[in-house]
Amino acid sequence: MPDDPKIVAPTRLLGAVGGGHYELPVYPFVEPAELKGELGRHPVVIIGAGLTGLTLACDLSLRGIPAVVLDEDNTVGVRGAASRGICYAQKSLELFARLGIYERMAAKGVQWSVGRTFAGDAEVYSFDLKTLATHDASRQPPFINLQQFYVEWFLVDRIYELGVVDLRWRNRVEGLVPHADHVEVQVETPVGRYALETAFVVDCSGGHSPLPQALGVGVQSARVPDRWCISDVRFAAPPPVERWTWVEAPFNEGRAVWQHLMADGVWRLDYQMAPDADLDRVSSPQVVDERLRRQFGAEVQYELVWVGPYAYRSQCLERFRAGRVLFAGDAAHVMSPFGARGGNSGIQDAENLAWKLALVLQGRAPEALLDSYDAERRPAARHNIRTTERTTRFLSPASAAERLFRDAVLALARAYPFARALVNTGRLSTPMAYEASPLACSAAPCRPVQNVALRLPDGRTGDLVSLLQQVDGSLVAIVAGPVDAVLAARLAAALPERYPVRCFYLGPDGPAAHGLPALGDADSRLAHQLGLDVAAATPALALLRPDLHCAGVLQSPDWPAIERAVRRVLGLGED
């Protein structure tokens, strides 16, 4: 990247919904330095300024990595302004809090935790995520509904504000030439073609990317016969702000329906269509009107903001890394939208990859650390694909036996609580525990930790996200119990000198920290999340990764055991 990149602010247009369409921002094309004869060598090139690519770029910005983002368009979202992804899970919201866009999302979007499922006219299942142990400790809500283009818009604004990453609009990638120590990227622009060099490429260009095939990366894919029609609608008299789903909606010919509120008072309604449906007909204004009046009554008053049909497929690459090229988001995996697993999975790809790329590029970890991205995120993608495929089979039984099972579940769920959890209208996105992670430093998997509130060492109220913001991309070691002075001194000084690790003390006895910065945990939520017992007779140490996953808990650790664990998490090996 040039020493002094010129970041040009975008042209602003209205962001509100009106007149039956969305207005999107337009960003200017700026002639790249390479077209002026400067051959740039960049740390990272990100292909695609969609949700995954922008999340990765923003995270790298905060870590001081001057990436280049190449996108063939000049706006966010999709022209035609479909709402696309809308549900952002708590794990994604915790990341967005660290990136600095969460407050904008919370102000613009719709927070929800209650969901209801119906079969016919009867409610058969309901839940409140705030009451579940998977969601009850974080400072972020279980879900925020917000049109995807708003999230991308906020990310672009934040990237421009940080001024580290070079966003290049209307720059289309035509090909890659891998070399031993770099990748040459060939780019087409409105004023000519150029090449640039980079240490690593991350392909975030979507499910139709040609790069996997060009690089010899195999793919497993399957097409699902389901057809759906999305209607984005504003009502004069809105429904309740809850997630409602129907397995057999009487107003949709006995097929499934999803009902969600988004920003701007716009409701996202997903209607399952017949497998052989005429997609032009089912998305015509007249048919949409008939469908809405069957659901909400003949006198319903509404504004149709957007309508469009869609089908989907599942797809997963056989590897997410091909030398210096990595794949993330839909370029790596495609799945149905059930349970909000698609966009959130791409966001978590970016979170998993950003800290590893940054440490490698900063010389604080070996390139081998990047292999753990594939080892962790590919099994996560396969899990999400399997989970959404089960939902597909519940909603669209492929055999008489599957239909018999579904009908039995629905009949039992109306009368017996035990059967209600079997009703599958989409298992909601949850953060992944990396069961076979090569970075795990104990017998347990690398598991997600919620963003709990705590008292920071300077006495201010904060949370785990704000703690991570203070440690410059380092691992966080949190020790509890009676730590002797010698070990505490090594944790406070020798460990950070050798490795990117910051150590803190958690416990009721401040003086026993022997100089380690102390964290306050009045309600013991942090101790519970990490699996630490502050009142134990022996010490324990938890290693927290920059992506809010606990790499393991060491019981009664000595210095060699701690050093081996840190080296493992950083991909350095244990010797």
Side-chain angles (χ1 to χ4, degrees):
M1 188 171 192
D3 293 335
D4 185 19
K6 295 181 179 179
I7 305 298
V8 180
T11 301
R12 290 286 192 177
L13 295 182
L14 294 177
V17 173
H21 67 284
Y22 297 106
E23 300 278 3
L24 300 179
V26 175
Y27 303 101
F29 168 76
V30 177
E31 186 176 353
E34 287 83 358
L35 280 172
K36 302 173 184 178
E38 302 176 26
L39 178 60
R41 174 69 72 93
H42 306 273
V44 184
V45 166
I46 299 168
I47 305 174
L51 187 61
T52 302
L54 290 172
T55 299
L56 178 61
C58 192
D59 204 340
L60 290 175
S61 292
L62 287 169
R63 300 179 190 280
I65 304 299
V68 174
V69 179
L70 304 171
D71 193 273
E72 62 184 12
D73 208 345
N74 63 352
T75 187
V76 293
V78 174
R79 294 197 182 276
S83 55
R84 299 181 74 203
I86 64 168
C87 298
Y88 296 92
Q90 188 175 83
K91 184 72 170 71
S92 299
L93 297 174
E94 291 169 343
L95 169 60
F96 290 141
R98 181 169 58 78
L99 299 186
I101 69 165
Y102 168 73
E103 295 300 332
R104 290 187 72 182
M105 292 181 64
K108 186 68 176 176
V110 176
Q111 300 184 25
W112 65 273
S113 63
V114 174
R116 303 186 187 280
T117 297
F118 300 84
D121 294 319
E123 182 178 326
V124 296
Y125 180 58
S126 65
F127 59 82
D128 185 348
L129 292 172
K130 287 182 179 178
T131 66
L132 303 182
T134 54
H135 292 82
D136 66 349
S138 177
R139 299 190 80 183
Q140 276 64 51
F143 277 92
I144 285 181
N145 282 3
L146 182 63
Q147 292 90 321
Q148 181 173 324
F149 64 80
Y150 277 126
V151 182
E152 295 177 3
W153 191 339
F154 298 162
L155 284 166
V156 171
D157 283 352
R158 181 64 170 146
I159 291 168
Y160 277 123
E161 177 187 350
L162 292 168
V164 176
V165 163
D166 186 0
L167 286 169
R168 299 187 182 184
W169 306 99
R170 302 185 69 189
N171 280 243
R172 184 177 69 249
V173 173
E174 294 290 334
L176 303 180
V177 181
H179 298 273
D181 63 344
H182 72 280
V183 179
E184 179 184 315
V185 184
Q186 299 165 345
V187 187
E188 185 70 40
T189 77
V191 297
R193 189 183 183 99
Y194 70 91
L196 54 77
E197 296 179 354
T198 179
F200 296 100
V201 170
V202 185
D203 182 9
C204 304
S205 61
H208 298 288
S209 171
L211 294 182
Q213 182 178 2
L215 294 170
V217 177
V219 60
Q220 299 175 340
S221 62
R223 185 164 293 279
V224 180
D226 263 4
R227 298 291 184 271
W228 293 75
C229 184
I230 300 173
S231 299
D232 289 350
V233 181
R234 297 170 79 176
F235 293 102
V241 183
E242 296 175 342
R243 174 188 186 262
W244 285 19
T245 61
W246 285 262
V247 180
E248 299 173 327
F251 48 83
N252 190 39
E253 300 177 331
R255 297 187 179 90
V257 173
W258 274 257
Q259 178 178 302
H260 276 271
L261 176 61
M262 306 182 292
D264 306 313
V266 178
W267 288 83
R268 164 81 172 263
L269 303 167
D270 292 46
Y271 296 96
Q272 186 184 33
M273 300 286 102
D276 59 352
D278 181 333
L279 297 184
D280 289 334
R281 178 181 176 277
V282 299
S283 58
S284 67
Q286 178 182 349
V287 173
V288 170
D289 180 76
E290 293 170 356
R291 193 183 298 129
L292 289 170
R293 296 190 187 282
R294 284 198 303 269
Q295 179 175 356
F296 296 100
E299 303 303 317
V300 65
Q301 298 180 30
Y302 69 90
E303 173 193 359
L304 185 61
V305 177
W306 186 86
V307 63
Y310 74 92
Y312 55 84
R313 71 189 191 281
S314 66
Q315 178 173 300
C316 188
L317 299 185
E318 293 179 355
R319 51 195 170 103
F320 285 8
R321 183 185 181 194
R324 294 185 171 274
V325 180
L326 301 107
F327 302 93
D330 285 358
H333 48 74
V334 178
M335 61 202 71
S336 78
F338 302 133
R341 290 176 178 270
N344 287 291
S345 183
I347 292 166
Q348 291 171 38
D349 287 348
E351 182 180 30
N352 184 286
L353 182 55
W355 68 273
K356 298 171 182 178
L357 264 176
L359 288 178
V360 170
L361 289 165
Q362 292 162 351
R364 300 197 290 171
E367 190 179 315
L369 179 61
L370 298 179
D371 291 333
S372 69
Y373 169 70
D374 175 87
E376 294 178 341
R377 292 308 300 166
R378 191 159 55 89
R382 294 171 65 87
H383 169 79
N384 284 328
I385 289 171
R386 287 194 301 270
T387 301
T388 56
E389 285 176 344
R390 293 189 186 107
T391 301
T392 298
R393 296 177 70 177
F394 189 86
L395 296 174
S396 302
S399 66
E402 288 181 359
R403 182 167 292 279
L404 181 64
F405 170 78
R406 190 188 79 169
D407 292 346
V409 166
L410 294 176
L412 288 168
R414 291 183 175 97
Y416 301 102
F418 82 89
R420 292 168 190 168
L422 299 175
V423 178
N424 188 350
T425 58
R427 305 303 187 198
L428 289 170
S429 173
T430 53
M432 291 299 303
Y434 301 131
E435 298 287 346
S437 172
L439 308 186
C441 59
S442 66
C446 291
R447 53 185 175 80
V449 176
Q450 294 182 61
N451 181 33
V452 296
L454 52 86
R455 190 187 71 246
L456 299 173
D458 62 6
R460 292 183 298 112
T461 299
D463 51 30
L464 278 179
V465 164
S466 54
L467 182 68
L468 290 175
Q469 290 172 328
Q470 295 181 5
V471 298
D472 189 30
S474 297
L475 306 178
V476 171
I478 299 178
V479 62
V483 183
D484 66 66
V486 174
L487 181 58
R490 282 184 162 182
L491 292 174
L495 196 62
E497 287 176 1
R498 297 186 186 184
Y499 308 103
V501 183
R502 292 282 302 279
C503 191
F504 299 87
Y505 179 76
L506 182 67
D509 187 5
H514 296 297
L516 289 173
L519 300 174
D521 186 26
D523 56 7
S524 299
R525 285 193 171 187
L526 177 57
H528 176 73
Q529 285 287 310
L530 295 174
L532 295 174
D533 182 358
V534 298
T538 57
L541 182 144
L543 268 177
L544 187 65
R545 301 172 9 162
D547 58 357
L548 273 183
H549 276 71
C550 181
V553 177
L554 309 179
Q555 300 294 338
S556 302
D558 57 15
W559 175 251
I562 294 171
E563 193 169 17
R564 284 194 301 270
V566 168
R567 293 181 61 85
R568 185 177 181 88
V569 178
L570 294 173
L572 289 164
E574 298 182 11
D575 297 328

